[in-house]
């Protein structure tokens, strides 16, 4: 049952001044050595108590969100529904007109974003697991116009499809980021299984890639720097990117799931190879090495930061707002396995500290910063919620 009004809950963290002990957990790959100081296990920052309000619950595995100019939130639900959650917490009926999705496994309706001029154009974008021939699926992106009454997507057009499709229900990515320069970044996964994941290194395929396209037509706008590469490719060698955001300088940052260990924070550059599955800080779920077990290889880029054990990252956002004045420019990441909001203190493009906030809140699928500076999170559950975090008084 949906909650139609805000419900204030108790302060989540106790002993907020204490440093946290997550760095004490043993790594899955103890023999792997970081490439530079501060690449992993940055100093644990002090936690701080936060207050939370459940804006709306009863959501079915919510995945992505975007705030509308009137303060309402548009939220996707994995089974294929898009809803408006009003500023007072009331939850609207599913919006009609979305494309058909394949919601098996990790598939479904995924990320969502709106145009910078949404107030005038009402234009939106969604990414989703698209059913294809022979039981195969692939990530796809559609754009459309939200009707004035908020009940229907109109003029819906699928502008991009991942190639090749695969008979897998895992590792779709997928985040959508308008780059402010006329392009749309789309992140993808490499479909997980040993057979398709090698396509992350294949520049004639869009598995395990960041791609850049025209947001209206889907025309390629990548910069692969390799003659034989597909022109929409921006970077490659990624595993499963489920977080992406523009940094304070307007550059793209991504975060991807590693195997057993090896979640990565990257700042993808055009035409660069980020290594997967040839290079990783992590091991197979069996404990065996991935490939040759190397963490560095000429011609591949190092992550800015990595985790072992993993946090299982969801969405991410750089903090810019008034409520948390000492967090300006810090990176907030949804932790699915961590069950927390993971905060990285950033300085000159490097991680200088890490904290875990609201631990125990549940699997955090997405994080956003509201117009007033509050931190909004989506919890991934059959009874998922949109939750507002503010400083404790």
């Amino acid at each position: 049952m949906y909650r139609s009004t805000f419900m204030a809950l108790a302060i989540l963290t106790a002993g907020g001044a204490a440093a946290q002990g997550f760095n004490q957990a043993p790594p899955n790959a103890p023999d792997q050595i970081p490439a530079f100081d501060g690449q992993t296990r940055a100093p644990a920052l002090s936690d701080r108590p936060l207050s939370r309000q459940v804006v709306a619950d009863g959501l079915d595995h919510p995945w992505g969100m975007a705030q509308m100019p009137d303060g309402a939130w548009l939220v996707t639900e994995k089974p294929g529904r898009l809803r408006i959650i009003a500023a007072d917490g009331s939850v609207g009926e599913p919006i009609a007109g979305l494309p058909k999705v394949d919601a098996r496994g990790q598939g479904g309706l995924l990320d969502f974003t709106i145009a910078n001029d949404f107030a005038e154009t009402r234009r939106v974008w969604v990414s989703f697991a698209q059913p294809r021939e022979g039981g195969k699926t692939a990530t796809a992106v559609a754009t459309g116009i939200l009707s004035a009454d908020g009940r229907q997507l109109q003029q819906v057009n699928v502008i991009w499809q991942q190639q090749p499709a695969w008979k897998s229900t895992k590792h779709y990515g997928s985040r959508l980021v308008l780059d402010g320069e006329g392009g749309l970044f789309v992140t993808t996964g490499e479909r997980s299984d040993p057979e398709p994941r090698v396509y992350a290194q294949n520049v004639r395929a869009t598995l395990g890639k960041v791609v850049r396209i025209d947001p209206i037509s889907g025309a390629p706008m990548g910069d692969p720097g390799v003659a034989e590469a597909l022109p929409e490719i921006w970077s490659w060698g990624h595993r499963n990117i489920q977080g992406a955001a523009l940094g304070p300088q307007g550059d793209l940052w991504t975060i991807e799931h590693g195997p057993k260990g090896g979640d990565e924070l990257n700042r993808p550059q055009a035409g660069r190879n980020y290594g997967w599955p040839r290079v990783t800080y992590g091991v197979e779920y069996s404990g065996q090495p991935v490939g040759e077990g190397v963490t560095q290889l000429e011609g591949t880029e190092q992550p800015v930061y990595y985790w072992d054990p993993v946090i299982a990252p969801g969405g991410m956002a750089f903090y810019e707002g008034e409520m948390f004045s000492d967090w300006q420019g810090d990176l907030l990441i949804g932790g699915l396995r961590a069950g927390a909001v993971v905060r990285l203190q950033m300085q000159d493009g490097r991680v200088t500290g890490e904290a875990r906030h609201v631990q125990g809140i549940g699997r955090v699928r997405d994080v956003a910063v509201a117009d007033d500076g509050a931190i909004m999170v989506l919890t991934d559950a059959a009874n998922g919620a949109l939750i507002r975090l503010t400083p404790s008084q």
Side-chain angles (χ1 to χ4, degrees):
M1 182 175 181
Y2 296 108
R3 193 178 304 269
S4 59
T5 58
F6 286 106
M7 178 179 177
L9 298 183
I11 295 171
L12 198 65
T13 52
Q20 300 176 286
F22 49 82
N23 278 342
Q24 305 308 311
N28 294 291
D31 296 331
Q32 293 181 347
I33 300 173
F36 53 85
D37 289 343
Q39 193 182 22
T40 191
R41 298 185 180 236
L45 303 172
S46 296
D47 195 2
R48 65 182 293 178
L50 302 177
S51 296
R52 64 178 181 175
Q53 294 174 309
V54 175
V55 179
D57 63 6
L59 302 171
D60 191 351
H61 295 281
W63 214 97
M65 58 178 161
Q67 188 174 24
M68 299 168 68
D70 65 358
W73 290 86
L74 283 152
V75 175
T76 62
E77 292 176 297
K78 183 178 173 294
R81 294 182 289 269
L82 174 66
R83 299 181 188 273
I84 295 176
I85 300 178
D88 66 359
S90 57
V91 180
E93 292 298 315
I95 294 169
L98 277 89
K100 183 179 179 180
V101 309
D102 190 316
R104 294 175 299 160
Q106 296 175 5
L109 191 63
L110 304 175
D111 204 19
F112 183 84
T113 194
I114 67 174
N116 294 329
D117 60 355
F118 174 83
E120 292 76 37
T121 65
R122 308 283 291 180
R123 183 165 292 279
V124 304
W125 291 265
V126 292
S127 64
F128 60 102
Q130 183 184 48
R132 304 274 277 275
E133 71 287 346
K136 298 177 181 179
T137 61
T139 304
V141 178
T143 185
I145 304 297
L146 182 64
S147 61
D149 61 8
R151 295 182 179 180
Q152 184 175 15
L153 280 190
Q154 302 169 336
Q155 304 174 40
V156 176
N157 183 31
V158 175
I159 59 172
W160 185 81
Q161 296 171 301
Q162 184 186 44
Q163 301 291 347
W166 207 270
K167 215 167 191 178
S168 166
T169 60
K170 300 183 181 69
H171 291 198
Y172 295 95
S174 158
R175 292 291 170 184
L176 304 173
V177 179
L178 291 163
D179 67 3
E181 297 181 351
L184 173 67
F185 285 115
V186 184
T187 72
T188 76
E190 35 65 288
R191 309 312 307 279
S192 178
D193 296 336
E195 295 83 0
R197 76 183 186 184
V198 298
Y199 280 87
Q201 288 293 317
N202 185 333
V203 294
R204 298 297 301 170
T206 48
L207 281 67
K209 306 295 193 296
V210 175
V211 303
R212 183 173 181 256
I213 58 174
D214 182 278
I216 304 301
S217 69
M221 296 181 67
D223 187 10
V226 178
E228 67 270 22
L230 295 175
E232 65 262 42
I233 290 175
W234 181 263
S235 61
W236 63 92
H238 301 286
R239 187 170 182 266
N240 187 27
I241 304 174
Q242 291 194 336
L246 295 184
Q249 306 305 316
D251 49 348
L252 179 70
W253 291 71
T254 63
I255 187 167
E256 64 189 77
H257 289 258
K260 191 174 183 180
D263 289 349
E264 291 185 6
L265 172 67
N266 287 297
R267 183 166 52 180
Q269 304 295 304
R272 303 288 180 87
N273 179 357
Y274 289 81
W276 178 260
R278 300 181 65 197
V279 184
T280 183
Y281 288 98
V283 296
E284 300 281 11
Y285 294 117
S286 65
Q288 296 300 307
V290 176
E292 298 180 1
V294 299
T295 59
Q296 301 180 49
L297 186 66
E298 185 176 358
T300 66
E301 305 299 317
Q302 282 290 305
V304 173
Y305 194 72
Y306 72 88
W307 289 265
D308 182 12
V310 300
I311 60 169
M316 59 189 264
F318 284 88
Y319 188 81
E320 294 181 72
E322 297 182 358
M323 285 194 183
F324 299 87
S325 59
D326 54 336
W327 289 8
Q328 298 298 319
D330 286 2
L331 183 54
L332 307 175
I333 302 161
L336 293 162
R337 184 168 181 177
V341 173
V342 178
R343 179 171 64 93
L344 299 182
Q345 186 181 73
M346 306 295 295
Q347 183 175 351
D348 299 327
R350 297 293 188 191
V351 177
T352 58
E354 179 177 348
R356 309 279 172 93
H357 299 287
V358 292
Q359 293 183 85
I361 197 172
R363 288 166 50 86
V364 180
R365 174 60 71 181
D366 201 10
V367 179
V369 180
D371 290 342
D372 65 358
I375 296 167
M376 309 298 293
V377 302
L378 288 176
T379 55
D380 179 14
N383 181 26
L386 174 65
I387 300 173
R388 172 182 166 91
L389 303 177
T390 55
S392 176
Q393 300 301 319

